[in-house]
Amino acid sequence: MRIGLLGFGVVGKGLYDIAATHPDFEVARVLCRRELTLPDAQVTHDFNDILNDDSIDTVVEVMGGLYPAWDYVKAAILAGKNIVTANKALVNHFYDELLPLVEQSGVKFRCTAAVGGGIGWLTELERVKRVDKLSKVGGIMNGTCNYILDNMTRNGLDYAVALKQAQELGYAEADPSADVDGPDTWNKTIISANIAFDVSLEKASVPVCGIRNIAAVDVAEFTKRGYVCKMMGTAEKGEGGISAYVQPTLVPNGEPAAAVPMNYNLISMVGSNSGPRSLFGQGAGRYPTAYNVAQDCVDVLNGVGFYSAYGAPVAANNDVQLQYYVRGGNVDAELIAEAWGDGILTKPVSVSAMHAWLKDNPAAFIAALA
Ligand SMILES: NC(=O)c1ccc[n+]([C@@H]2O[C@H](COP(=O)([O-])OP(=O)(O)OC[C@H]3O[C@@H](n4cnc5c(N)ncnc54)[C@H](OP(=O)(O)O)[C@@H]3O)[C@@H](O)[C@H]2O)c1
């Protein structure tokens, strides 16, 4: 396999290093913006050098972002090159265009590292589907949120302090919004649901709420009551359709998800024969992520692509009734089940109704009882 590598950052450098140890891979060219000299590959600043090189059969996109990554991926597919990417934003955003294009062009496409970087979650979903029907997928998919929440829970820190520590240790970006406000988990939840259930969910119908408004008083109350707050994405196939949502969730102590430490991920599925299963590991990091990019390259070599999408259902969140901890905002008295410290616990309300309420009360913090 001759690889055109787009991006030489955390994951790109990792893939370059792993490829150097694998007899079947040759990174022929690397696209980057910086001045860079590599012993075994030609560095270019012009994507056309990769596109027009017929000896390059596979493009590995690890630049991130939507543009120009999508322009490059699309052009490469049309030129008959296989695609391996770790870019969850790109995969989710362009899913409906990407999959037909891949199918029509007869190339192979894989994106295992886009969800649960080092875990191999999407590959396992594909394997389960060969034998089982999946009914539920989701879990802790964002290491930054987990690091912050774990630090708050274990050390009683306030959100701002825990975030600052995460930034200093490299677990959070200078602008943490893609993690703490939920878009990262949202992308991963939708991709997982699409692959698990062979659909392409209507993205706007999947609500998302992040952890930005959580405070030490909330965590202290959860601890007192035997709960741990985790940022979770959930997608479930029920009689009324597929529900899908992303929100802080209160997990009872003693459940595996409650014990997930540091920046780790725990992503779970329920299969018709395999039952409930979880994959635990590093959701990010240079070599764990590049490992799955390299595994995808091996699959492409073996002629294994994946993914199919049929229909674009709206996530059916009206029928899912949950109780929510709420602090701040104006909650109708008739919806309140009991007082919880500085907040309240609601009676069961639909996920749709709670997220609609949150739009009018953006300073509030909510967390669902699992
Ligand atoms: N990091 C992880 O652990 C991880 C885990 C799972 C998935 N991912 C996904 O993998 C992708 C890459 O992440 P990363 O952490 O490796 O990002 P990164 O460290 O920021 O690396 C991105 C690289 O792409 C280059 N690049 C960006 N735009 C470019 C352009 N227009 N032309 C040429 N080069 C360009 C950057 O160049 P400069 O150096 O000049 O900016 C940089 O070298 C993202 O989609 C991310 O979501 C990452």
Side-chain angles (χ1 to χ4, degrees):
M1 172 180 283
R2 275 174 62 81
I3 295 170
L5 181 60
L6 312 188
F8 200 77
V10 173
V11 185
K13 164 85 165 74
L15 191 267
Y16 178 82
D17 290 346
I18 292 175
T21 68
H22 197 289
D24 294 333
F25 300 150
E26 185 186 342
V27 177
R29 285 185 195 249
V30 175
L31 177 76
C32 73
R33 291 185 292 211
R34 278 168 293 143
E35 291 310 319
L36 186 69
T37 308
L38 295 170
D40 305 324
Q42 274 182 281
V43 175
T44 177
H45 300 303
D46 183 356
F47 172 67
N48 287 313
D49 288 341
I50 291 173
L51 186 65
N52 298 327
D53 184 338
D54 290 339
S55 75
I56 292 176
D57 50 274
T58 301
V59 164
V60 173
E61 186 278 305
V62 281
M63 289 166 41
L66 297 181
Y67 294 101
W70 172 237
D71 296 327
Y72 295 171
V73 164
K74 201 159 55 170
I77 294 171
L78 289 170
K81 298 184 194 300
N82 304 305
I83 300 291
V84 172
T85 180
N87 187 340
K88 69 222 76 163
L90 179 143
V91 174
N92 184 31
H93 198 86
F94 296 108
Y95 204 74
D96 294 330
E97 232 180 302
L98 177 60
L99 295 200
L101 199 62
V102 165
E103 202 171 339
Q104 286 153 23
S105 308
V107 301
K108 299 295 176 220
F109 165 76
R110 295 189 68 85
C111 64
T112 302
V115 182
I119 296 178
W121 159 253
L122 295 181
T123 304
E124 189 53 27
L125 275 192
E126 276 291 301
R127 278 179 59 83
V128 174
K129 277 200 315 182
R130 300 188 304 192
V131 175
D132 271 14
K133 293 256 181 295
L134 286 156
S135 57
K136 190 170 183 181
V137 292
I140 298 168
M141 303 174 168
N142 182 278
T144 304
C145 286
N146 202 65
Y147 186 85
I148 292 169
L149 293 172
D150 184 48
N151 209 357
M152 290 179 75
T153 303
R154 284 207 236 193
N155 301 317
L157 301 183
D158 215 334
Y159 170 78
V161 179
L163 170 62
K164 191 158 178 287
Q165 282 190 7
Q167 286 168 324
E168 283 165 3
L169 291 166
Y171 291 128
E173 304 275 344
D175 173 3
S177 49
D179 295 314
V180 301
D181 294 331
D184 180 84
T185 305
W186 181 79
N187 282 324
K188 293 167 175 172
T189 302
I190 298 175
I191 294 170
S192 300
N194 286 349
I195 290 169
F197 306 129
D198 284 324
V199 293
S200 174
L201 278 179
E202 176 66 45
K203 293 183 232 319
S205 68
V206 180
V208 54
C209 162
I211 63 166
R212 192 182 282 272
N213 294 342
I214 194 171
V217 286
D218 303 321
V219 175
E221 187 65 24
F222 304 152
T223 303
K224 197 174 88 187
R225 292 175 181 270
Y227 290 97
V228 180
C229 186
K230 296 291 184 186
M231 178 66 168
M232 296 184 99
T234 306
E236 187 162 13
K237 197 168 191 175
E239 283 181 9
I242 296 163
S243 60
Y245 44 88
V246 174
Q247 58 194 13
T249 302
L250 301 181
V251 184
N253 259 323
E255 298 257 335
V260 174
M262 307 278 289
N263 62 329
Y264 281 87
N265 285 192
L266 181 84
I267 322 183
S268 306
M269 63 180 102
V270 179
S272 45
N273 291 296
S274 50
R277 272 196 309 144
S278 299
L279 276 70
F280 171 83
Q282 283 290 346
R286 168 164 284 161
Y287 291 108
T289 306
Y291 159 82
N292 271 311
V293 174
Q295 285 284 17
D296 275 355
C297 290
V298 174
D299 283 327
V300 166
L301 263 183
N302 293 336
V304 183
F306 57 49
Y307 313 143
S308 49
Y310 308 99
V314 168
N317 294 322
N318 281 325
D319 296 342
V320 183
Q321 302 269 323
L322 300 172
Q323 286 187 279
Y324 283 89
Y325 168 86
V326 182
R327 181 182 45 75
N330 299 310
V331 182
D332 280 350
E334 68 204 35
L335 275 181
I336 298 174
E338 56 182 290
W340 268 37
D342 286 9
I344 57 99
L345 186 72
T346 68
K347 295 173 184 165
V349 291
S350 77
V351 170
S352 306
M354 195 68 233
H355 281 263
W357 176 90
L358 196 60
K359 284 210 162 51
D360 297 329
N361 296 270
F365 174 70
I366 67 163
L369 272 190

